[in-house]
Amino acid sequence: SLYPDKTSDDDLLEWIEAGNASRFKNTVLRKLHTDRLIEYDKSGRCIILPTGLNYIASQYPNWLAQLNQ
């Protein structure tokens, strides 16, 4: 698989260089979990769900077009 089976919220913070760790965890990751795009548990483990992969695949062309403007 091209995607990790799971990762920690701390690794995500490092990868995207989020400025405010608690805000990122409590708003962004919790919202993605509520929307069932990721599984996010109390240990800080994050797993992208099939619905999350489908969302990314459907939005990717739009994001790419915006970057190329």
Side-chain angles (χ1 to χ4, degrees):
S1 172
L2 297 175
Y3 305 98
D5 291 330
K6 61 186 172 192
T7 193
S8 72
D9 51 9
D10 289 329
D11 283 343
L12 287 174
L13 284 163
E14 184 179 327
W15 296 340
I16 66 165
E17 300 177 6
N20 185 323
S22 63
R23 183 169 187 258
F24 179 76
K25 292 176 183 182
N26 292 323
T27 57
V28 175
L29 294 180
R30 294 280 175 222
K31 172 83 168 109
L32 292 170
H33 175 79
T34 299
D35 292 349
R36 301 308 299 147
L37 299 176
I38 67 169
E39 181 62 35
Y40 182 47
D41 64 25
K42 292 179 182 182
S43 72
R45 182 184 65 170
C46 302
I47 301 171
I48 191 163
L49 297 174
T51 50
L53 290 173
N54 290 338
Y55 178 80
I56 292 167
S58 71
Q59 295 301 310
Y60 183 76
N62 298 331
W63 297 332
L64 189 58
Q66 289 176 359
L67 288 173
N68 290 325
Q69 287 182 355

